[in-house]
Amino acid sequence: MARNLGFLVVALLVLASSCESAIFSPVSDSHRSAALELFSPIDGSFGSLEETYEALQTFEVLGIEKKPDIRTSACASVVDTLQSTSSALKDLVHALRVNGILKCDLKNEAFRGIESRLKDSLNAANSLLDFYYSVGGLMLVKDQTSAVDVHLGDADKIFRSIKALSQSDGRWRLSSNNPESSNDAAGIALETLAGVISLASSEIDHSLIATLKNDIAKLFDGIEKYDDGTCYFDEKLVDARGHHGPLSASASVVRGITAFAAVTSESLNLPGEKILGLGKFFLGVGIPGSAKDLGSVPLILSLPATVLSVTKNDQLKVRVSTVLGSSAPPLSVKLMQIFVSGSKDASIIDQKLKFDPDNSVHVLEKLPSNVNVGNHIFSFEIVFDDPEHKKNYVTGGRTKVPIHVTGIIKIDNAEIAVLDSDLGSIETQKKLELPGENAVALSANHLQKLRLSFQLITPAGQAFKPHQAFLKLRHEGGVEHIFVVGNSGKKFEIVLDFLGLVEKFYYLSGRYEIQLTVGDSVMENSFLQPLGHIELDLPDAPEKAARPPPQPVDPYSRYGPKAEITHIFRAPDKRPPRELSLAFLGLVLLPFFGFLAGLVHLRANINNWPKSTVPATFASLFHVGIAAVLLLYALFWFKLDLFTTLKVLSLLGVFLMFVGHKTLSHLASTSAKLKSA
């Protein structure tokens, strides 16, 4: 993580600063919850001491009470880092920062060793970061123990060495070898010089302080500003430490100026509107709520709701607090002006809002009568009850907040009619209930017209022009035609001349569904509803007339589930009588029995049947296997399926191959012995 994020690392609090019309709110419980989610320890530790400090400081600034318990692991890491002679200067500073929050058990001897190392590093420093970590470490030792003398006898010399890195525009360089300057380096330098002033054993030369105040004024001259008053310091430099965006650069400058303002008794005379702009940018994460910080505390004016309904008589509520969400001093809020968005005209109101002490909000119970539905910009002004509070708090002048006023729009004189083309006389006319259920049935030919008209009136009795007003005709074949309903003063009206639309309608006669759409973001009763249908009788299409475009195929009908297919099998043929089937079976088996009788009659020679036990066993198994195959065929015919039969047959085939090979081998060897004899 970058060094200068610190307790400003909750970056999601400043997302609204990039929006021209952002509504700024003080720090709330949602921000604290976000910080707890962002800083979640793993195995009881945040990892490095830098990350641990950023988490602890964020919890402290946001006032988070229920935070993770990491004291044991963090203090062990602090002690190891401070006692190690090989610890980097940066790690020493972060260890001291964590110790300043957790108050770990450290002896004075440890602080004396650290003080010696820091002063040696300060004397050998040749870059801004060397000065920053050395001086910052000494400041931390000073705050944590009084047993060690950390004062600087040569403070003027160190001050001038750091000041030599400044530029004419108020920005600073990180080292004399680096010609590039940045706002981030300026914040580091200011914080370091504030430490030098605090550690000086004698008063710093006043001319050096005056020069530094002039540098701060130049730095604020280059501040960036949005139209809503949000201010920030941009960073365009890409150096060895990487690119720093507006958040890091602004945080660094604010910390530096805050540190400098705390050690000098002179006023910095910083512009109040820019201080408030920085407060809006950080939304309080980077500016502690103390009157010493930057000379004054910014107050944030926020609205719990920026969408108000005149129909529901919503109240306008305004909350004023410090950027960290603490209570503001006694004050009043006035509604000074109301602007209509897109217009330079403004209504002068100058009305004081009523304060509700139970909810700590200022309430305007009823909107001014001249506020109509639409987008407005309300201009508020904060007035302190005690003028002395102007010294400690800054409001930034008038605050402009965009307000979205909605309401129910009244629809009058809605009607639809079929007109004769020549005379314009009404042939058929129907009243419409908008919004509501309508089911008009009209008919017309190509020589007639269709007219639709209605009026829109706001709750204030003024004519209303919505963002959307469409009339759609949809043919039964799926072809749609959309027309914009025009506005003629107080009345919305559209007239469709079918004679001029026959080509656009592709000469398609038949039924057309009528649908009306009226909508606007401030119209609470926007609607899209069918009005009914009209039967059109159009002339036949010429030979070369354009054809209707192919209608898109409904993906559901193409890729959706298909209709279930029901198979109807042919009824089985009638079986023959049982007696006839048995007689046929006997005729089939008759040749087999004849074969056996023939073997007996011919006196079959079985003299070659093996006499020994093992060959006789293999011969018997071979014939049993052949019988098993024949039995398997019979079972396949009556009961088994093909796959089961093939599985069993494969096993029997392997068995027959083995025992058959043994049997034939024995017969071959016996025959060879007989021939040789």
Side-chain angles (χ1 to χ4, degrees):
M1 294 187 180
R3 175 209 62 80
N4 58 354
L5 282 182
F7 53 81
L8 300 167
V9 74
V10 193
L12 49 97
L13 297 180
V14 301
L15 292 178
S17 64
S18 60
C19 178
E20 188 179 46
S21 60
I23 305 300
F24 298 97
S25 302
V27 174
S28 63
D29 290 338
S30 61
H31 300 134
R32 297 181 178 93
S33 298
L36 287 172
E37 292 182 7
L38 184 62
F39 292 104
S40 179
I42 300 176
D43 297 331
S45 173
F46 286 109
S48 66
L49 287 172
E50 182 179 5
E51 294 175 348
T52 303
Y53 168 71
E54 290 175 350
L56 294 175
Q57 188 70 348
T58 300
F59 296 155
E60 186 174 300
V61 171
L62 296 182
I64 298 175
E65 297 179 356
K66 296 181 179 180
K67 46 194 173 185
D69 185 11
I70 59 166
R71 178 180 178 84
T72 302
S73 60
C75 284
S77 180
V78 167
V79 173
D80 291 342
T81 302
L82 296 180
Q83 291 180 349
S84 174
T85 57
S86 61
S87 298
L89 193 61
K90 179 180 178 181
D91 295 334
L92 287 176
V93 173
H94 286 306
L96 290 171
R97 286 174 173 173
V98 174
N99 182 65
I101 298 175
L102 297 181
K103 310 299 182 185
C104 301
D105 187 14
L106 290 177
K107 298 181 179 180
N108 291 331
E109 289 75 9
F111 286 111
R112 291 190 180 93
I114 297 169
E115 178 263 344
S116 176
R117 290 184 58 187
L118 292 174
K119 284 189 175 180
D120 292 341
S121 300
L122 183 60
N123 294 329
N126 55 11
S127 69
L128 182 58
L129 291 179
D130 292 339
F131 285 111
Y132 172 76
Y133 288 122
S134 299
V135 173
L138 291 173
M139 285 290 296
L140 292 169
V141 172
K142 176 184 176 183
D143 294 337
Q144 295 175 27
T145 180
S146 59
V148 179
D149 183 14
V150 295
H151 290 92
L152 302 176
D154 54 350
D156 276 0
K157 178 182 177 182
I158 298 174
F159 197 105
R160 296 179 189 276
S161 299
I162 300 173
K163 185 65 179 67
L165 300 174
S166 65
Q167 300 293 290
S168 59
D169 59 355
R171 302 197 298 175
W172 294 63
R173 295 175 296 161
L174 289 175
S175 67
S176 57
N177 298 327
N178 186 358
E180 300 292 340
S181 58
S182 68
N183 289 321
D184 179 70
I188 295 174
L190 292 174
E191 191 174 354
T192 305
L193 292 175
V196 174
I197 295 174
S198 178
L199 296 173
S201 57
S202 59
E203 187 175 354
I204 297 292
D205 188 352
H206 185 269
S207 62
L208 296 176
I209 303 295
T211 304
L212 189 58
K213 287 175 57 180
N214 186 48
D215 290 341
I216 295 175
K218 292 179 180 179
L219 193 62
F220 266 80
D221 290 340
I223 197 171
E224 301 289 339
K225 186 176 182 181
Y226 286 115
D227 293 339
D228 61 356
T230 302
C231 298
Y232 65 95
F233 289 94
D234 199 3
E235 193 64 277
K236 302 176 182 178
L237 172 67
V238 179
D239 58 12
R241 301 177 68 232
H243 175 71
H244 297 279
L247 176 62
S248 298
S250 301
S252 179
V253 173
V254 168
R255 292 178 61 177
I257 297 175
T258 301
F260 179 73
V263 298
T264 180
S265 59
E266 300 185 19
S267 175
L268 295 180
N269 296 322
L270 299 178
E273 68 276 3
K274 293 183 179 179
I275 296 176
L276 181 63
L278 285 170
K280 288 182 176 181
F281 182 77
F282 292 121
L283 294 182
V285 183
I287 303 180
S290 171
K292 297 180 180 180
D293 300 333
L294 299 182
S296 56
V297 177
L299 295 179
I300 295 296
L301 184 148
S302 60
L303 275 69
T306 58
V307 179
L308 305 176
S309 172
V310 293
T311 304
K312 300 176 183 178
N313 296 320
D314 289 344
Q315 295 180 339
L316 175 66
K317 298 180 180 181
V318 178
R319 179 176 286 109
V320 180
S321 63
T322 65
V323 289
L324 285 177
S326 58
S327 300
L331 52 82
S332 300
V333 176
K334 287 186 176 182
L335 175 60
M336 304 303 296
Q337 291 178 297
I338 297 179
F339 299 85
V340 179
S341 296
S343 174
K344 296 182 179 180
D345 298 333
S347 302
I348 307 299
I349 305 298
D350 196 6
Q351 182 176 353
K352 181 180 178 180
L353 276 63
K354 182 180 178 180
F355 182 67
D356 180 5
D358 295 333
N359 299 311
S360 300
V361 294
H362 300 262
V363 181
L364 182 64
E365 296 181 349
K366 187 176 181 181
L367 294 176
S369 58
N370 61 341
V371 175
N372 204 355
V373 294
N375 296 318
H376 304 268
I377 297 178
F378 283 33
S379 178
F380 298 96
E381 185 175 275
I382 298 175
V383 180
F384 292 105
D385 294 348
D386 184 357
E388 291 296 322
H389 286 141
K390 292 183 178 180
K391 298 179 180 179
N392 298 328
Y393 297 90
V394 59
T395 63
R398 294 187 179 181
T399 302
K400 294 182 179 180
V401 181
I403 302 293
H404 200 64
V405 181
T406 66
I408 294 179
I409 304 301
K410 184 180 179 182
I411 305 170
D412 282 343
N413 302 324
E415 60 183 22
I416 188 169
V418 176
L419 310 177
D420 288 334
S421 180
D422 296 333
L423 303 176
S425 59
I426 299 176
E427 180 175 311
T428 306
Q429 180 172 306
K430 301 286 186 179
K431 293 289 185 179
L432 299 175
E433 185 69 26
L434 299 177
E437 294 185 3
N438 298 275
V440 299
L442 303 173
S443 61
N445 56 40
H446 66 287
L447 299 177
Q448 293 178 313
K449 300 177 181 179
L450 179 67
R451 183 184 69 188
L452 172 68
S453 61
F454 55 88
Q455 290 180 316
L456 299 178
I457 303 174
T458 67
Q462 300 178 6
F464 177 71
K465 183 178 180 181
H467 288 163
Q468 296 179 346
F470 301 120
L471 177 67
K472 181 169 73 173
L473 298 182
R474 188 177 189 275
H475 187 258
E476 55 190 350
V479 181
E480 295 182 349
H481 306 280
I482 299 177
F483 305 92
V484 178
V485 182
N487 179 24
S488 57
K490 296 183 178 180
K491 188 177 183 180
F492 283 84
E493 185 179 64
I494 183 173
V495 178
L496 301 181
D497 187 355
F498 295 123
L499 183 60
L501 294 173
V502 289
E503 292 186 2
K504 184 175 182 178
F505 280 32
Y506 303 106
Y507 296 90
L508 293 177
S509 300
R511 179 172 174 144
Y512 286 80
E513 300 294 334
I514 307 173
Q515 186 183 80
L516 178 63
T517 302
V518 178
D520 195 284
S521 60
V522 300
M523 184 176 176
E524 296 179 6
N525 56 333
S526 300
F527 62 87
L528 184 156
Q529 68 176 68
L531 304 181
H533 71 274
I534 182 172
E535 291 283 347
L536 282 184
D537 183 14
L538 303 181
D540 294 335
E543 185 177 349
K544 297 183 179 180
R547 299 299 178 187
Q551 298 304 304
V553 179
D554 185 9
Y556 185 82
S557 63
R558 174 181 291 183
Y559 303 107
K562 303 299 181 182
E564 183 178 355
I565 300 175
T566 303
H567 296 278
I568 301 177
F569 295 94
R570 180 171 59 89
D573 296 333
K574 187 177 180 180
R575 293 187 176 185
R578 180 182 181 84
E579 295 75 9
L580 181 60
S581 299
L582 293 176
F584 178 77
L585 177 61
L587 292 175
V588 171
L589 295 177
L590 185 59
F592 175 71
F593 291 110
F595 170 73
L596 295 179
L599 290 178
V600 174
H601 179 72
L602 296 176
R603 297 180 181 180
N605 183 13
I606 57 173
N607 293 328
N608 288 333
W609 188 269
K611 301 297 189 296
S612 301
T613 304
V614 176
T617 302
F618 282 116
S620 301
L621 291 176
F622 177 72
H623 287 80
V624 171
I626 293 177
V629 172
L630 295 175
L631 178 61
L632 178 63
Y633 288 162
L635 292 175
F636 170 67
W637 179 264
F638 289 105
K639 183 178 181 180
L640 299 180
D641 57 77
L642 178 63
F643 295 102
T644 304
T645 303
L646 291 176
K647 291 179 182 177
V648 177
L649 184 61
S650 62
L651 297 176
L652 289 175
V654 174
F655 173 76
L656 284 172
M657 184 182 297
F658 174 73
V659 296
H661 175 72
K662 292 292 185 179
T663 301
L664 293 177
S665 298
H666 173 73
L667 293 176
S669 62
T670 302
S671 176
K673 290 179 180 180
L674 292 175
K675 290 180 180 181
S676 61

